[in-house]
């Protein structure tokens, strides 16, 4: 089976969120299972700024899209995912993929629809024997729409099956109807059974209607998005397509995120003592007072309501009264950035606020903290909690989406479990759970060490994830030729 994995972000070249991690890892594991797989992404300007691209091979130059009305030429560059023989094609066109933030709103429809069309042209020109296109989120959701309309009778493209993975249904790509014409798609798609959505067009809806198979990144989120609380208006369509809707939990790349070999962390982690040594070094690094037995609580992620920032902001003044320290790494909503920075003045000895994207510091925090906070309002899968557990940091989560599927509540009687959580999106429940975890950390060290061990032994490797995707590809192919 030959799989084309198409994504707007791919780690390590461009990473905004969890999608990049999946795009950078899953293809490698598919290859290990014996499948052929390659990746396609835009040649964002960031990549030229941050990587040595002189070794990228130019495969084709001056191609033009077949459908899209924006006829600027593009070129295909080839390289490989690091430490692998998985090909990655970077599609380059002058001036379009230039913004620092790859999801910058200006021209975002043009960028994503043009990319979707030229990704198909790339398949046709270079990899015409591809069987399945694996698309991700709304940015690539016009691909199945093109395939089932403009390219329905195309020799190479007409036989492609599609799998759409929803990494986050909160982002859908909603635009004025006339954009359909910019994409070079037929006007009849402005129809309730296609792209139309409350008088506009919704690109993700197009993906949901036209893909052969759909999945999200955890079984619980697959159920949740069929309800009005989590479906963001697309729950009705997801219900209609529920027979083709699956949940596959993401893995994490054990070769990169390995506490015994990770070059970013202070000491390899094998024992609980190693963990405490990392904590002391982290405190030193962040210029916090060195306190081996004070509980170090961390948060890494985008600073938005989705991640529970409203809850954290409302309880932080209370939990900081306990013998704890708090380290935060992230960027996002300015109101949260300002609020968090102001905490450094009120609690200089207790908080370290780092408003930036810093993959190196992220690893040091995963390795050096005791508790990792993830009180998300919704969480399709979540990677942070898995990285945390891999490095022996105990997650405190709100049980929603992938957090339900990856964190197991600690049970004092059976000594099983990997973390602590709560269900209602409530400040008191969050505060109670943080204090409970802190209590275990400080007063029940023997049990804490058991939880630490349980976390480090939990299996989040990619092999299982990759196997589940192979099953979905088979389903998509069977469905198409049914
Ligand atoms: P989402 O995809 O919703 O942003 P995930 O938990 O699935 O959330 O993935 C977020 C990923 O991005 C994790 O690997 C996390 O460590 C990383 N990350 C988020 N913010 C930062 C940051 N400021 N610096 C470094 N890594 C970050």
């Amino acid at each position: 089976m030959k799989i084309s994995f198409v994504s707007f972000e791919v780690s390590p070249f461009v990473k905004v969120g969890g999608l990049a991690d999946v795009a950078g890892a899953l293809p490698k594991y598919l290859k290990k299972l014996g499948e052929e797989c390659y990746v396609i992404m835009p040649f964002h300007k960031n990549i030229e700024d941050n990587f040595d691209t002189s070794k990228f091979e130019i495969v084709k130059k001056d191609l033009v899209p077949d459908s899209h009305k924006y006829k600027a030429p593009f070129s295909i560059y080839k390289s490989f995912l690091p430490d692998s023989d998985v090909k990655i094609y970077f599609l380059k066109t002058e001036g379009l993929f230039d913004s620092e933030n790859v999801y910058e709103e200006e021209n975002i429809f043009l960028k994503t629809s043009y990319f979707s069309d030229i990704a198909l042209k790339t398949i046709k020109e270079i990899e015409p024997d591809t069987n399945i296109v694996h698309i991700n989120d709304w940015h690539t959701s016009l691909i199945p729409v093109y395939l089932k309309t403009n390219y329905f009778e195309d020799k190479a493209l007409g036989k492609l099956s599609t799998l759409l993975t929803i990494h986050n249904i909160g982002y859908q790509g909603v635009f004025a109807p006339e954009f359909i014409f910019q994409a070079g798609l037929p006007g009849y798609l402005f129809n309730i059974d296609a792209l139309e959505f409350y008088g506009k067009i919704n690109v993700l809806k197009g993906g949901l209607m036209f893909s052969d198979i759909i999945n999200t990144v955890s079984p619980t989120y697959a159920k949740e998005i069929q309800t009005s609380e989590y479906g963001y208006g697309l729950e009705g369509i997801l219900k209609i397509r529920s027979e083709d809707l699956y949940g596959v939990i993401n893995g994490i790349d054990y070769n990169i995120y390995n506490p015994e070999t990770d070059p970013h962390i202070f000491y390899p982690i094998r024992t609980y003592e190693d963990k405490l040594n990392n904590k002391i070094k982290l405190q030193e690094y962040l210029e916090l007072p060195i306190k081996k037995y004070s509980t170090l609580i961390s948060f890494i992620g985008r600073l938005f309501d989705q991640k529970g920032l409203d809850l954290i902001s409302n309880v932080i003044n209370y939990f900081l009264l306990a013998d704890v320290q708090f380290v935060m790494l992230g960027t996002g909503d300015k109101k949260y950035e300002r609020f968090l920075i102001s905490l450094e003045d009120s609690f200089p000895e207790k908080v370290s606020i780092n408003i930036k994207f810093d993959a190196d510091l992220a690893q040091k925090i995963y390795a050096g903290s005791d508790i990792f906070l993830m009180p998300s309002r919704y969480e399709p899968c979540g990677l942070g909690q898995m990285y945390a557990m891999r490095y022996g940091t105990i997650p405190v989560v709100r049980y929603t989406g992938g957090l339900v599927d990856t964190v197991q509540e600690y049970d004092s009687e059976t000594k099983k479990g990997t973390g602590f959580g709560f269900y209602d999106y409530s400040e008191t429940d969050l505060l109670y759970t943080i204090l409970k975890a802190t209590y275990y950390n400080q007063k029940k060290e023997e049990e804490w060490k058991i939880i630490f061990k349980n976390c480090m032994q939990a299996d989040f490797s990619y092999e299982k994830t990759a196997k589940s995707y192979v099953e979905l590809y088979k389903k998509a192919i069977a469905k198409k030729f049914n």
Side-chain angles (χ1 to χ4, degrees):
M1 184 162 35
K2 192 182 242 191
I3 305 134
S4 180
F5 192 97
V6 188
S7 177
F8 220 65
E9 53 175 297
V10 180
S11 188
F13 299 106
V14 170
K15 169 163 164 172
V16 179
L19 166 58
D21 288 348
V22 180
L26 177 62
K28 292 195 223 169
Y29 287 85
L30 289 168
K31 199 113 200 229
K32 275 193 198 156
L33 292 179
E35 307 297 342
E36 266 198 80
C37 185
Y38 61 90
V39 181
I40 303 180
M41 79 177 294
F43 200 151
H44 296 293
K45 189 168 168 296
N46 284 349
I47 300 174
E48 256 164 295
D49 299 342
N50 300 322
F51 290 83
D52 176 12
T53 56
S54 62
K55 292 195 191 74
F56 289 8
E57 177 194 339
I58 301 190
V59 186
K60 285 227 169 175
K61 277 173 104 166
D62 294 330
L63 296 167
V64 280
D66 287 327
S67 289
H68 209 283
K69 290 289 183 282
Y70 183 69
K71 290 294 179 200
F74 72 99
S75 306
I76 305 171
Y77 288 71
K78 185 174 104 179
S79 183
F80 295 90
L81 289 180
D83 306 318
S84 81
D85 56 353
V86 175
K87 286 180 278 185
I88 170 161
Y89 296 113
F90 297 94
L91 310 189
K92 182 170 185 171
T93 186
E94 279 316 311
L96 194 58
F97 302 128
D98 278 1
S99 50
E100 170 96 20
N101 164 11
V102 299
Y103 299 121
E104 177 75 54
E105 286 201 1
E106 196 187 349
N107 281 339
I108 189 70
F109 182 82
L110 172 62
K111 284 189 259 194
T112 52
S113 55
Y114 177 81
F115 173 63
S116 298
D117 195 20
I118 64 176
L120 289 173
K121 179 104 180 184
T122 302
I123 296 173
K124 183 175 162 143
E125 291 284 329
I126 314 224
E127 305 276 3
D129 54 344
T130 301
N131 304 102
I132 177 142
V133 194
H134 184 164
I135 61 167
N136 294 280
D137 279 349
W138 78 264
H139 314 102
T140 47
S141 277
L142 284 184
I143 286 182
V145 182
Y146 280 119
L147 287 174
K148 292 223 166 121
T149 55
N150 296 17
Y151 303 134
F152 189 66
E153 293 186 334
D154 185 280
K155 242 174 104 198
L157 301 180
K159 62 177 174 41
L160 285 172
S161 307
T162 44
L163 168 70
L164 162 63
T165 300
I166 305 164
H167 297 263
N168 190 334
I169 205 159
Y171 302 92
Q172 302 181 352
V174 177
F175 301 95
E178 51 273 23
F179 279 98
I180 287 186
F181 298 108
Q182 187 184 75
L185 284 163
Y188 66 75
L189 289 172
F190 187 63
N191 171 321
I192 191 154
D193 291 321
L195 297 180
E196 194 273 339
F197 186 74
Y198 298 104
K200 296 195 165 176
I201 56 166
N202 181 320
V203 178
L204 185 63
K205 179 181 169 190
L208 297 178
M209 299 299 280
F210 288 82
S211 296
D212 295 312
I213 295 285
I214 304 160
N215 83 295
T216 71
V217 285
S218 68
T220 299
Y221 193 58
K223 283 190 213 126
E224 286 174 346
I225 56 176
Q226 295 178 56
T227 66
S228 56
E229 193 184 345
Y230 292 96
Y232 280 81
L234 292 176
E235 58 276 8
I237 291 147
L238 286 160
K239 265 213 182 113
I240 292 169
R241 294 229 49 196
S242 61
E243 283 200 0
D244 297 320
L245 173 62
Y246 297 85
V248 177
I249 201 90
N250 290 330
I252 58 178
D253 195 333
Y254 272 27
N255 295 323
I256 299 174
Y257 298 96
N258 183 342
E260 295 195 16
T261 56
D262 188 334
H264 299 286
I265 68 177
F266 297 109
Y267 302 105
I269 306 175
R270 290 184 193 94
T271 63
Y272 189 61
E273 207 47 39
D274 297 335
K275 174 89 184 151
L276 293 180
N277 289 335
N278 272 287
K279 172 168 154 182
I280 289 167
K281 276 281 181 191
L282 178 64
Q283 289 169 328
E284 200 178 304
Y285 187 81
L286 298 171
E287 296 176 4
L288 287 169
I290 294 177
K291 289 189 168 178
K292 191 171 176 182
Y293 295 106
S294 163
T295 305
L296 185 49
I297 302 174
S298 61
F299 174 93
I300 301 173
R302 296 178 295 112
L303 307 177
F304 290 105
D305 286 347
Q306 185 212 326
K307 297 290 176 186
L309 260 292
D310 49 343
L311 289 192
I312 294 177
S313 307
N314 289 337
V315 304
I316 194 160
N317 280 295
Y318 299 105
F319 73 73
L320 282 176
L321 297 175
D323 180 15
V324 301
Q325 293 172 333
F326 178 68
V327 49
M328 203 280 324
L329 170 63
T331 58
D333 197 328
K334 295 289 166 236
K335 79 171 182 246
Y336 294 128
E337 290 187 358
R338 278 195 298 271
F339 169 74
L340 289 161
I341 290 169
S342 77
L343 281 176
E344 281 194 317
D345 295 331
S346 324
F347 298 93
E349 305 267 285
K350 289 202 160 189
V351 299
S352 165
I353 304 299
N354 305 275
I355 307 288
K356 58 181 173 177
F357 194 95
D358 185 339
D360 175 74
L361 179 57
Q363 292 315 104
K364 290 181 166 59
I365 295 174
Y366 285 126
S369 32
D370 297 300
I371 290 176
F372 186 74
L373 275 192
M374 222 157 151
S376 304
R377 186 178 284 271
Y378 71 94
E379 194 57 74
C381 174
L383 295 173
Q385 81 282 14
M386 291 195 265
Y387 294 136
M389 287 187 262
R390 178 94 173 113
Y391 288 79
T393 300
I394 280 71
V396 164
V397 304
R398 172 170 175 250
Y399 286 125
T400 178
L403 296 169
V404 175
D405 300 321
T406 53
V407 178
Q408 188 193 353
E409 182 74 13
Y410 177 67
D411 179 335
S412 245
E413 284 194 3
T414 61
K415 307 280 185 287
K416 290 209 168 104
T418 50
F420 299 91
F422 57 99
Y423 285 90
D424 281 350
Y425 192 74
S426 107
E427 289 158 16
T428 26
D429 288 6
L430 171 62
L431 184 59
Y432 169 77
T433 313
I434 291 175
L435 294 177
K436 179 170 149 191
T438 303
Y439 173 76
Y440 269 84
N441 176 246
Q442 295 178 1
K443 305 279 186 227
K444 296 191 165 220
E445 198 185 18
E446 284 318 304
E447 285 196 66
W448 190 261
K449 285 183 187 165
I450 293 172
I451 312 173
F452 162 82
K453 221 170 165 182
N454 293 348
C455 282
M456 290 198 71
Q457 284 171 351
D459 181 6
F460 301 116
S461 62
Y462 244 106
E463 277 79 9
K464 225 164 54 194
T465 307
K467 279 185 190 149
S468 304
Y469 274 106
V470 170
E471 290 310 308
L472 291 191
Y473 299 146
K474 286 184 187 156
K475 283 195 168 76
I477 290 170
K479 174 129 196 165
K480 166 114 188 171
F481 294 103
N482 230 332

